[in-house]
Amino acid sequence: MNDRHSLRRTVVKEAMENWQKISLILCAYGILKEFRPSEPFVTKYLNNPPMNFTDEQISYSIYPVSIYSSMILLIFVFLITDFLRYKPIIILDSIAGIVVFAMLIICRSLFLVQVLEVFYGLFTACEVAYYTYIYAKVDKEHYQEVSSHTRASYLIGRALSGILSQILVSTGFSYLSLNYFTLGGMILSLVWACILPTVSSSIYFHSSSGKVITKGNHNENVQNGQIKEKDNEKQEINSSLQGFQLLWTDFKVAFTDTYVLKWAFWWALATCGYYQILAYIQLLWEEILMGRDTEYYTKLNGAVEAIYTLMSAMAAFAFGKIKINWSLYGEPVLFLCSIAIGLIVLLMSQTTLILVAYVTYIAYTIIYNSMITIANSEMAKNVNPDSYGLIFGFTLFVALVLQTILTAVVVHLFNLSARKQFEIYSCYFCFLGLIFGIKTVNQFVKWCYRKRRDVGSISA
């Protein structure tokens, strides 16, 4: 009996160590992937020697290319990620990153920089494999933990990038030299991606968990090996169709749940705005600094990157510990946070002081990362754990589609300056807040009506 208990404890311990080991390996990859010291100063690199692009070229001809391409490429990447069992797409992600930053070092023409932006779009699209790989490698009971681990590795990688880039720029390194450090990080991420454990069974197309849709349990009626072989062949032939059927079933179940839909709606729209602000914030800073003798403050981008990622991580962790009935208070909080973001972005767009722009950007990212953590958690609690990757991928796709539309209208149709763009983004978040404000008022009116009805029924 003691031997049996000892064996069970050993098995449990090994299983625990196995998922922790896989999570640790993936998080290390995430840190290397996000280790890009050149990104806090990429706009300065592009509009200074040896690149010498104007702010107009960067805003209208360069940055939008990656936004459009990532939306288009995500369609294909999302569909094949599960089919190819994740790891090949993660490797492709690192290869795309290497191509991007190698081209950023050697390319000088506008056309070639636009080509590298297409690869950057691929790099962004392939990230869906990084965020969903872990769900095919660990048991469902650990999904919530590994989700927080991957988010933490993202923030740690960006924080390290900000710290190193700030140190290098402050000690006299050129913006060009930052690209070599980033390229080194991308190469290391490729090496690390190659040693990631392979996925023998994926969630939809190569399931081994019994989740695949079948027409009956043939194994009970199998009498000999020949019948078993035929059943296996038949199942393999139909596995792709069954995978799509299962994917569609999980999709319908998740997005017909009004509670999940509410959080996914905010997540998609808020992430759209976040990506757009992330893409154009450095151009706003350049516009604020234009013609001002504040050379010292022009080199604090890396410090801002480090501060906002570390503070966002702490805020997200704190919000994850707060025990609130989000089904009751979720809509009022989303209303207040969206309005707060809108006002912060408005102040960001109007200020003439770069330090105010830095502080408002940090405040905005803290609110966004805190609320996106809650959105992830609430959605995760109310969907089939196996469909986390599907929900994440589709919501990200919607965010990129909205970002593409926003870019086409704000940047290309109206050709707005950075300040004017951020005024639009401010209105965008205020409108998002107004939607949840209306839902909050509606929820309050219904509550008052129910309370009056209950009091009336008691009196009667």
Side-chain angles (χ1 to χ4, degrees):
M1 182 67 70
N2 289 334
D3 291 341
R4 184 180 299 175
H5 287 308
S6 177
L7 179 61
R8 182 180 299 173
R9 284 196 299 269
T10 302
V11 171
V12 171
K13 183 178 179 181
E14 288 179 353
M16 182 177 67
E17 291 176 347
N18 185 53
W19 81 261
Q20 289 176 336
K21 178 182 177 182
I22 294 172
S23 181
L24 180 63
I25 293 173
L26 186 65
C27 286
Y29 170 78
I31 292 172
L32 290 172
K33 179 179 70 70
E34 293 300 327
F35 182 74
R36 306 194 291 269
S38 61
E39 290 206 340
F41 296 95
V42 65
T43 298
K44 288 186 176 297
Y45 172 67
L46 290 174
N47 63 16
N48 280 282
M51 304 303 283
N52 293 318
F53 294 112
T54 65
D55 287 348
E56 288 72 21
Q57 287 176 310
I58 297 170
S59 179
Y60 306 137
S61 302
I62 295 177
Y63 285 169
V65 176
S66 64
I67 295 171
Y68 297 148
S69 60
S70 63
M71 188 273 291
I72 296 170
L73 291 169
L74 182 62
I75 300 173
F76 302 101
V77 171
F78 177 64
L79 290 175
I80 67 174
T81 294
D82 190 87
F83 185 77
L84 294 180
R85 308 183 198 190
Y86 310 96
K87 183 175 177 178
I89 305 300
I90 292 177
I91 293 174
L92 178 62
D93 191 25
S94 292
I95 293 173
I98 291 172
V99 172
V100 167
F101 293 101
M103 291 184 69
L104 205 54
I105 292 171
I106 63 177
C107 297
R108 299 292 178 264
S109 71
L110 177 61
F111 172 74
L112 289 178
V113 171
Q114 288 174 326
V115 171
L116 78 82
E117 287 293 313
V118 174
F119 280 99
Y120 191 83
L122 177 63
F123 177 73
T124 302
C126 287
E127 287 183 344
V128 70
Y130 164 70
Y131 286 108
T132 55
Y133 164 93
I134 195 68
Y135 302 129
K137 287 297 294 181
V138 303
D139 293 334
K140 299 175 185 178
E141 60 185 294
H142 303 302
Y143 277 10
Q144 200 65 35
E145 293 169 274
V146 296
S147 296
S148 65
H149 293 171
T150 53
R151 185 71 179 175
S153 66
Y154 162 81
L155 292 169
I156 290 171
R158 294 195 70 89
L160 290 175
S161 299
I163 293 169
L164 180 61
S165 65
Q166 189 61 60
I167 292 172
L168 293 174
V169 170
S170 299
T171 53
F173 280 78
S174 67
Y175 300 132
L176 173 62
S177 64
L178 298 180
N179 291 307
Y180 289 99
F181 288 93
T182 304
L183 181 60
M186 289 294 102
I187 293 172
L188 287 176
S189 76
L190 176 61
V191 174
W192 201 265
C194 292
I195 67 172
L196 285 172
T198 57
V199 177
S200 58
S201 62
S202 61
I203 295 171
Y204 293 108
F205 295 101
H206 306 282
S207 175
S208 63
S209 62
K211 192 184 173 191
V212 174
I213 299 170
T214 60
K215 294 182 178 180
N217 189 359
H218 296 296
N219 291 331
E220 294 179 358
N221 301 319
V222 172
Q223 300 296 323
N224 53 60
Q226 185 177 5
I227 297 176
K228 286 184 179 180
E229 186 176 347
K230 285 184 178 180
D231 285 344
N232 290 335
E233 290 176 358
K234 190 179 296 184
Q235 183 174 348
E236 190 171 330
I237 292 171
N238 294 325
S239 62
S240 295
L241 178 60
Q242 293 170 346
F244 280 113
Q245 289 175 336
L246 183 58
L247 189 149
W248 175 243
T249 300
D250 278 351
F251 178 86
K252 286 195 299 183
V253 169
F255 288 105
T256 52
D257 184 328
T258 55
Y259 188 74
V260 173
L261 190 61
K262 173 183 70 177
W263 287 100
F265 176 81
W266 188 88
W267 182 8
L269 268 70
T271 300
C272 161
Y274 175 74
Y275 281 168
Q276 194 70 358
I277 289 174
L278 196 65
Y280 284 90
I281 187 63
Q282 292 183 37
L283 284 168
L284 175 65
W285 292 343
E286 292 301 307
E287 189 169 329
I288 293 172
L289 290 165
M290 194 175 298
R292 296 178 182 274
D293 187 18
T294 52
E295 179 63 23
Y296 174 75
Y297 295 119
T298 68
K299 296 183 177 181
L300 291 180
N301 294 13
V304 173
E305 178 95 2
I307 292 170
Y308 96 72
T309 49
L310 291 174
M311 293 188 70
S312 293
M314 290 188 289
F317 179 79
F319 262 71
K321 295 294 183 181
I322 296 174
K323 301 299 182 183
I324 292 179
N325 183 359
W326 290 106
S327 62
L328 180 62
Y329 297 108
E331 289 171 356
V333 171
L334 289 175
F335 159 66
L336 292 174
C337 287
S338 299
I339 294 295
I341 288 174
L343 296 176
I344 288 171
V345 174
L346 180 62
L347 176 59
M348 194 189 304
S349 70
Q350 300 301 310
T351 185
T352 58
L353 300 174
I354 189 62
L355 290 181
V356 174
Y358 285 154
V359 170
T360 50
Y361 179 64
I362 291 170
Y364 157 66
T365 54
I366 289 173
I367 295 174
Y368 167 80
N369 281 292
S370 298
M371 289 313 302
I372 208 70
T373 301
I374 299 302
N376 287 342
S377 176
E378 288 304 295
M379 290 175 66
K381 292 175 185 176
N382 292 275
V383 299
N384 185 334
D386 279 354
S387 64
Y388 282 5
L390 170 66
I391 304 307
F392 173 84
F394 181 77
T395 308
L396 177 60
F397 172 70
V398 173
L400 291 177
V401 170
L402 293 173
Q403 187 189 11
T404 300
I405 296 171
L406 193 61
T407 302
V409 173
V410 174
V411 177
H412 282 146
L413 183 60
F414 293 107
N415 294 327
L416 298 180
S417 65
R419 281 191 185 276
K420 294 295 182 182
Q421 286 184 42
F422 275 72
E423 290 175 7
I424 298 296
Y425 306 150
S426 170
C427 295
Y428 173 89
F429 276 103
C430 287
F431 178 73
L432 178 59
L434 182 62
I435 293 173
F436 284 94
I438 293 172
K439 288 182 66 65
T440 299
V441 172
N442 183 54
Q443 184 183 43
F444 180 73
V445 170
K446 287 181 177 179
W447 177 81
C448 290
Y449 174 76
R450 285 195 301 269
K451 190 173 183 180
R452 176 183 291 183
R453 186 182 59 187
D454 293 341
V455 170
S457 62
I458 292 172
S459 300

